[in-house]
Amino acid sequence: MIGRLNHVAIAVPDLEAASAKYRDTLGANVGAPQDEPDHGVTVVFIELPNTKIELLYPLGEDSPINGFLEKNPAGGIHHMCFEVEDILEARDKLKADGARVLGSGEPKIGAHGKPVLFLHPKDFNGCLIELEQV
Amino acid sequence: MIGRLNHVAIAVPDLEAASAKYRDTLGANVGAPQDEPDHGVTVVFIELPNTKIELLYPLGEDSPINGFLEKNPAGGIHHMCFEVEDILEARDKLKADGARVLGSGEPKIGAHGKPVLFLHPKDFNGCLIELEQV
């Protein structure tokens, strides 16, 4: 079912410093910050040859990553995103297998403009998993 | 400097259950467990079209992931590994930029039989980074 690893998302407490680290110290191809008000984050995309890293920084008081940064003040890996061909089929299979889909269970439009769902970390070895239909 | 994301490593408290989850629920291509006594882990490789997930389970009392699993009993993302062309050149550049290389600073032979180094999570937004020369 799952296809490519679309991205690994890292929550960071200082977006400029984290961008500089990946650009200048690790020599990666780092984009400009993009506000995603619908998702409560500012995102910086780092293009690797085979996948992406996404740096996430809170945007607004209700940002979904505020809690994560409170628990992990230095930052940390927040989630990983796998691509699927049909997100509703994937959801139904997951639910039939007893995996919990976060929120209403209906896909939302994610930061890339495509339907996404998140799976409960307790069902996947403590890892928050995003599924994105491509 | 950094190239492909070689793998994301996930420490898990139950290797069989985690393998089954990725194979049966997420429908991924999951390999057989491989003991890596030199690294204190049993590893399961999950092949995605563009990269790998590695499930890590402690092997022996001195396993380097025992501490991680004590802090994160459900498991979690342990590190991510970026490929580099020349690990000594990468190390020298990182050190010159003030990043800390773990251990002696000399590359060791990693689980794939290639030279690897680990970078201090405090220098990279709370993320443990492995560099592997390919």
Side-chain angles (χ1 to χ4, degrees):
Chain A
M1 182 170 71
I2 57 171
R4 298 174 71 257
L5 177 73
N6 184 277
H7 62 266
V8 177
I10 301 173
V12 301
D14 182 334
L15 195 54
E16 206 167 317
S19 297
K21 195 78 89 166
Y22 274 84
R23 185 180 56 235
D24 302 332
T25 302
L26 291 172
N29 185 4
V30 176
Q34 299 176 22
D35 287 347
E36 303 273 359
D38 287 351
H39 300 95
V41 288
T42 302
V43 183
V44 164
F45 294 101
I46 301 171
E47 296 284 347
L48 302 180
N50 61 332
T51 188
K52 287 193 292 282
I53 304 289
E54 294 187 10
L55 304 179
L56 303 180
Y57 182 78
L59 180 65
E61 284 178 18
D62 296 330
S63 170
I65 59 166
N66 279 338
F68 183 90
L69 284 172
E70 270 163 33
K71 280 186 216 151
N72 305 277
I77 297 179
H78 183 265
H79 69 266
M80 49 187 177
C81 174
F82 299 123
E83 298 178 357
V84 295
E85 284 188 14
D86 184 328
I87 202 158
L88 294 178
E89 189 180 303
R91 175 198 64 187
D92 293 345
K93 162 82 167 86
L94 285 157
K95 286 173 82 170
D97 280 8
R100 284 164 285 182
V101 175
L102 297 185
S104 69
E106 292 308 310
K108 293 190 176 174
I109 297 303
H112 310 134
K114 294 176 177 168
V116 302
L117 282 174
F118 285 88
L119 308 181
H120 201 303
K122 288 203 176 158
D123 294 332
F124 292 95
N125 316 290
C127 303
L128 179 60
I129 291 178
E130 181 180 16
L131 298 180
E132 180 176 301
Q133 179 171 300
V134 291
Chain B
M1 182 170 71
I2 58 171
R4 296 175 73 256
L5 177 73
N6 184 277
H7 62 266
V8 177
I10 302 173
V12 302
D14 182 334
L15 195 54
E16 205 166 319
S19 296
K21 195 79 89 167
Y22 274 83
R23 185 180 55 235
D24 303 332
T25 303
L26 290 173
N29 185 4
V30 176
Q34 299 177 21
D35 287 347
E36 304 273 0
D38 289 351
H39 300 96
V41 289
T42 301
V43 184
V44 164
F45 294 100
I46 300 170
E47 296 285 347
L48 301 180
N50 60 333
T51 189
K52 286 192 294 283
I53 304 289
E54 295 186 10
L55 304 179
L56 303 179
Y57 182 77
L59 179 66
E61 284 178 18
D62 297 329
S63 171
I65 59 166
N66 279 337
F68 183 91
L69 283 172
E70 271 163 33
K71 278 186 218 150
N72 305 277
I77 297 179
H78 183 264
H79 69 265
M80 51 186 176
C81 174
F82 298 124
E83 298 178 358
V84 295
E85 284 188 13
D86 183 328
I87 201 159
L88 294 179
E89 190 180 303
R91 175 198 63 187
D92 293 345
K93 161 83 166 88
L94 285 157
K95 285 173 82 171
D97 280 9
R100 284 164 286 181
V101 175
L102 296 185
S104 69
E106 293 308 311
K108 292 189 177 176
I109 297 303
H112 309 133
K114 293 176 179 169
V116 302
L117 282 174
F118 284 89
L119 309 180
H120 201 304
K122 288 203 176 156
D123 294 332
F124 293 94
N125 315 291
C127 303
L128 179 60
I129 291 179
E130 182 180 17
L131 298 180
E132 179 176 303
Q133 180 171 298
V134 291

